[in-house]
Amino acid sequence: MKNSRITILFIVACVAFMFSFLLNVSLGSVSIYPDEILEGLITGSWVKTSHAQIILNYRLPKAVVALLAGVGLSLSGLQMQTFFRNPLAGPFVLGISSGAGLGVALLMLAGSAFGISALSGGLSAWAIVGAGTLGAGLVMILVSLVAWRIQDSMTLLIVGLMFGSAVSAIVSVLSYFSGADALKLFTVWSMGSLGGLAWPQVVVLGTVVLVGIFPVILSVKSFNAMLLGERYAKSMGVNPTFLRWMMILSTGLLAGSITAFCGPIAFIGIAVPHLARIMWRTSDHRILFPASALLGAILLLLCDVAGQLPGSAQMLPINAVTSLVGAPIVIGLVLRRNFSKEF
Amino acid sequence: MKKSTIVAKNLTLGYATSNPKKAVLENLSFQLFENELTCLLGPNGVGKSTLIKAILGQLKPWSGELTLNEKNIQNFSNPELSKALSVVLSEPVLPGNMTVGQLVALGRIPHTGWTGRLAIHDRDLIENALYLTKTEVLKDERLSEISDGQRQKAMIARALAQDGKVMVLDEPTAHLDLVNRYQIMHLLRDIATKQQKSILVVTHDLEIALETADRLLLLSNTFPLVSGLPEDLVISGQLDRLLPGDEFRFNIEKGKIEQKNPTSQVVIVGNQVIGFWVRKALEKARINKLELPIFVMDGDFTLSYGAQEFHRIGALIDYLKITQKS
């Protein structure tokens, strides 16, 4: 009976995922019906060439990015929460988003702060991605060096948070001294965006995310053991140090690449694992990982739809939408069920 | 000849970070045997947890030898050790969403493949562990919705499902009520004898340990480790070593610890059982001498002292206190 409940939930989630993907692609400043999209994708003949243009070069890559980001952030959030045994942990507790932020801030703001206009030619997407990757990678390497020396996972958590704060402080200093245009540009980046990426970038992001999922699959069993805490896990033959490296590698790749490509996307990473736990009513990671991945993708696709403000040409930043839409959902679920006991 | 599982020879344990380097435990030698429940007793801070850490292979001995099945514990790899030894730690665990069945299934982690898929053999062992700990009915209950005693039994079931020869339990009965404390210790005793396990329990419950343990290990700050049959230790008076200072002693007749009081010289005549409790109450009230005897009358419970009659011990004591003061 219990297993069938889990299966039904997965089927429902898969259907919901397909629905939200189609919805995401079809809604926007111009609404295009799903049947037209499906027909166009399958047969290759479109009713209007402009529609083909919109769907193939703009909306599809954006939907795929939303899918990848939703999956990646949820998976890294779940890993962090279980590893640190902390319901407030998320993909960014080890300072990854701050690191990416620093990289991008250096690119966008440093020129302006030092009185040189680096922005005159405009910034290519690749430059932003590169800067974000470098920044996230740098912080991950620093955290790893510390992780090499310490045994205690709580210490690692604190060190990660401290790195994050220190790096954010550098970004603040840069912002303080930079010009209005550059500052606006950076602020918009820090609100996150799923669009603006072309297919080559989407392919790179997709590859990195796939690679980042591998360590998760390898360590599913160990994460289940970690539910009882590090000492119990050890007594069951799990090597917490190895698991920690797997986790740093995985979240570094997932959260790092997503933040570099899309900016820091708040909320999904922390909230989705909780939603998965509440809905599937289990703590088994063999169920929680796929469930979180599905839910994350659905939620981010739907948030993107809401952010499009269908029918209008205006758009809201994705970060604002994820929090505005997501926070009430989570508060509702948390109040309805006993949240701390579910963890 | 009994087969020994864990053997310690001249073991000295300590932490590398302590400054100046001071050993927590020195020159320990003891053995755990198959089919036996051994209880480790000792005051707080004597190094019981340090010893447990060493047994779990998490602390390298400074000197001496600690072996499990004749192999040095330090030479076990983590996965190897997890197949030979399982634990119930004193720290609380609370993944509330987990059911008792899932918790017990976690015990099979050292034996399953990377996905953690359970084979028929694994399922049998899980069922057996649930059966032995009498937790089958709780199988689908969530850990957040069962009592502390039930949760502790589930933790024991998990350790049992791990199917090592040796089980180490760090204060499994702390925070539990009297009935649960007895139940759990008797359960462990049954498991040790029927499942051919070697079980080490750290506990502070001397009375229950005396009743259930096959062997006691006594650690104290001032004496070397003592080990032996509980009854031998009682008769040789070594249990008093657990009680530093002069304040308490182990009463060999009653089988329990009591405060060292000047022996009561009150004369109580009548029903011996009621007399026992009256004397106990008087001792607590520090009344050790009375001019007249107390008569206990059966049937309608009455105590008479001199010309006075009382129907409750409390009333008698109140009266005695007033008269003795004046």
Side-chain angles (χ1 to χ4, degrees):
Chain A
M1 191 217 100
K2 273 195 67 213
N3 282 330
S4 65
R5 182 188 131 89
I6 286 168
T7 318
I8 290 169
L9 270 169
F10 269 115
I11 294 170
V12 171
C14 283
V15 173
F17 164 70
M18 283 185 270
F19 171 77
S20 40
F21 193 88
L22 275 180
L23 195 71
N24 185 287
V25 179
S26 69
L27 289 182
S29 53
V30 185
S31 295
I32 305 169
Y33 286 105
D35 50 342
E36 191 191 329
I37 298 169
L38 285 177
E39 195 193 322
L41 284 177
I42 293 161
T43 61
S45 64
W46 296 83
V47 183
K48 282 188 195 167
T49 42
S50 66
H51 282 187
Q53 195 59 255
I54 291 172
I55 296 291
L56 290 179
N57 292 333
Y58 183 68
R59 286 194 195 162
L60 262 186
K62 188 161 65 86
V64 173
V65 168
L67 159 69
L68 291 172
V71 169
L73 291 175
S74 312
L75 288 184
S76 38
L78 179 56
Q79 290 183 69
M80 292 285 187
Q81 286 175 2
T82 302
F83 187 85
F84 292 117
R85 298 287 313 124
N86 190 330
L88 291 178
F92 303 135
V93 285
L94 293 184
I96 296 167
S97 67
S98 313
L102 177 66
V104 175
L106 281 173
L107 178 74
M108 290 179 174
L109 304 178
S112 159
F114 295 120
I116 320 157
S117 176
L119 302 171
S120 51
L123 286 170
S124 81
W126 281 117
I128 296 174
V129 166
T133 311
L134 278 179
L138 184 74
V139 170
M140 281 321 280
I141 288 169
L142 285 175
V143 169
S144 307
L145 286 178
V146 176
W148 197 276
R149 289 202 46 201
I150 54 178
Q151 287 297 314
D152 185 40
S153 61
M154 279 306 141
T155 318
L156 180 63
L157 187 58
I158 294 167
V159 167
L161 287 171
M162 290 304 114
F163 267 118
S165 311
V167 167
S168 303
I170 301 176
V171 174
S172 305
V173 171
L174 282 173
S175 313
Y176 185 75
F177 286 110
S178 60
D181 288 345
L183 194 57
K184 168 101 200 258
L185 200 64
F186 179 70
T187 310
V188 169
W189 175 84
S190 69
M191 287 174 179
S193 155
L194 298 170
L197 296 180
W199 279 114
Q201 288 139 6
V202 176
V203 170
V204 172
L205 177 63
T207 316
V208 178
V209 167
L210 277 182
V211 174
I213 291 176
F214 256 103
V216 180
I217 298 172
L218 282 179
S219 42
V220 172
K221 197 173 87 167
S222 308
F223 275 110
N224 275 343
M226 279 302 284
L227 283 173
L228 300 186
E230 223 164 290
R231 288 189 69 195
Y232 271 113
K234 225 173 174 176
S235 86
M236 290 189 270
V238 170
N239 182 346
T241 316
F242 178 73
L243 186 62
R244 185 200 301 178
W245 285 110
M246 282 303 202
M247 183 200 69
I248 290 179
L249 181 70
S250 169
T251 52
L253 286 173
L254 292 173
S257 64
I258 291 160
T259 312
F261 279 83
C262 311
I265 295 176
F267 182 79
I268 298 281
I270 296 178
V272 167
H274 288 305
L275 290 180
R277 273 187 211 100
I278 289 171
M279 288 171 69
W280 269 263
R281 298 201 70 198
T282 183
S283 53
D284 187 345
H285 286 76
R286 283 169 292 174
I287 293 161
L288 282 183
F289 275 122
S292 298
L294 266 175
L295 276 184
I298 294 170
L299 205 63
L300 204 51
L301 282 166
L302 290 181
C303 283
D304 185 46
V305 170
Q308 296 287 334
L309 302 172
S312 89
Q314 283 295 318
M315 244 178 87
L316 290 177
I318 188 70
N319 237 342
V321 186
T322 50
S323 300
L324 274 178
V325 173
I329 299 178
V330 170
I331 291 173
L333 282 165
V334 163
L335 289 181
R336 211 159 55 86
R337 303 199 52 84
N338 198 333
F339 172 71
S340 64
K341 283 183 179 170
E342 295 287 350
F343 180 66
Chain B
M1 184 65 201
K2 274 184 297 186
K3 198 166 164 264
S4 55
T5 49
I6 288 186
V7 181
K9 275 188 205 141
N10 303 322
L11 192 64
T12 299
L13 299 171
Y15 296 96
T17 48
S18 67
N19 198 17
K21 266 197 164 190
K22 188 177 174 301
V24 180
L25 292 164
E26 264 173 308
N27 260 331
L28 287 187
S29 296
F30 64 88
Q31 289 184 310
L32 300 188
F33 293 97
E34 215 174 61
N35 295 358
E36 276 195 5
L37 173 65
T38 306
C39 283
L40 171 63
L41 291 119
N44 290 113
V46 79
K48 298 190 296 293
S49 303
T50 310
L51 181 58
I52 298 260
K53 268 188 197 154
I55 292 176
L56 296 183
Q58 293 166 0
L59 188 72
K60 200 175 180 310
W62 284 3
S63 67
E65 219 181 27
L66 188 60
T67 56
L68 168 57
N69 300 335
E70 288 161 9
K71 183 177 167 187
N72 197 318
I73 284 187
Q74 286 297 315
N75 294 339
F76 275 87
S77 74
N78 202 14
E80 269 173 355
L81 192 61
S82 67
K83 286 178 190 167
L85 185 144
S86 57
V87 281
V88 174
L89 301 170
S90 55
E91 59 201 56
V93 267
L94 239 187
N97 231 339
M98 194 183 270
T99 62
V100 171
Q102 286 169 341
L103 174 73
V104 178
L106 285 184
R108 297 306 297 161
I109 281 183
H111 306 272
T112 53
W114 66 271
T115 54
R117 201 183 156 78
L118 299 169
I120 295 170
H121 172 64
D122 297 315
R123 286 182 196 282
D124 287 346
L125 281 169
I126 293 166
E127 291 299 328
N128 191 39
L130 287 167
Y131 166 75
L132 287 169
T133 51
K134 305 178 180 75
T135 45
E136 304 134 295
V137 283
L138 301 173
K139 198 178 170 196
D140 293 320
E141 299 283 329
R142 279 161 205 285
L143 291 184
S144 54
E145 288 157 9
I146 60 178
S147 74
D148 288 346
Q150 291 170 327
R151 197 175 307 130
Q152 201 58 269
K153 283 180 200 161
M155 290 309 293
I156 292 171
R158 188 209 62 82
L160 198 54
Q162 203 169 326
D163 201 28
K165 203 84 212 131
V166 182
M167 277 171 71
V168 177
L169 298 95
D170 195 356
E171 296 189 36
T173 55
H175 323 295
L176 297 186
D177 63 33
L178 197 62
V179 175
N180 269 308
R181 295 212 302 259
Y182 272 95
Q183 271 184 357
I184 282 183
M185 290 302 287
H186 280 283
L187 188 79
L188 289 171
R189 190 188 163 70
D190 282 352
I191 291 171
T193 44
K194 288 180 193 154
Q195 305 290 309
Q196 283 88 48
K197 304 279 182 202
S198 172
I199 300 183
L200 174 66
V201 178
V202 175
T203 181
H204 291 294
D205 258 322
L206 177 63
E207 286 155 37
I208 302 178
L210 277 179
E211 198 168 307
T212 50
D214 294 302
R215 186 172 297 272
L216 291 187
L217 296 178
L218 306 183
L219 274 177
S220 87
N221 292 314
T222 43
F223 293 90
L225 178 121
V226 180
S227 98
L229 220 64
E231 290 74 14
D232 277 339
L233 298 183
V234 169
I235 293 166
S236 62
Q238 303 205 64
L239 280 179
D240 279 331
R241 293 187 175 181
L242 280 178
L243 315 164
D246 285 336
E247 203 182 342
F248 299 97
R249 66 183 176 115
F250 184 79
N251 185 318
I252 195 163
E253 288 141 39
K254 297 178 191 163
K256 59 201 291 186
I257 294 170
E258 61 180 21
Q259 199 168 18
K260 267 189 195 166
N261 277 334
T263 337
S264 168
Q265 288 167 6
V266 179
V267 181
I268 300 173
V269 185
N271 184 319
Q272 283 306 300
V273 178
I274 296 174
F276 170 78
W277 291 104
V278 172
R279 188 183 302 279
K280 216 170 151 64
L282 290 175
E283 275 172 13
K284 250 191 251 171
R286 300 187 196 290
I287 299 171
N288 293 313
K289 231 186 214 169
L290 288 176
E291 288 156 26
L292 301 167
I294 296 172
F295 291 94
V296 180
M297 286 169 218
D298 277 337
D300 196 20
F301 172 65
T302 311
L303 299 169
S304 71
Y305 179 75
Q308 301 284 326
E309 289 203 340
F310 306 92
H311 297 284
R312 285 182 302 115
I313 301 175
L316 169 70
I317 285 174
D318 288 344
Y319 170 77
L320 289 176
K321 275 186 178 165
I322 294 164
T323 50
Q324 285 204 328
K325 238 178 235 166
S326 55

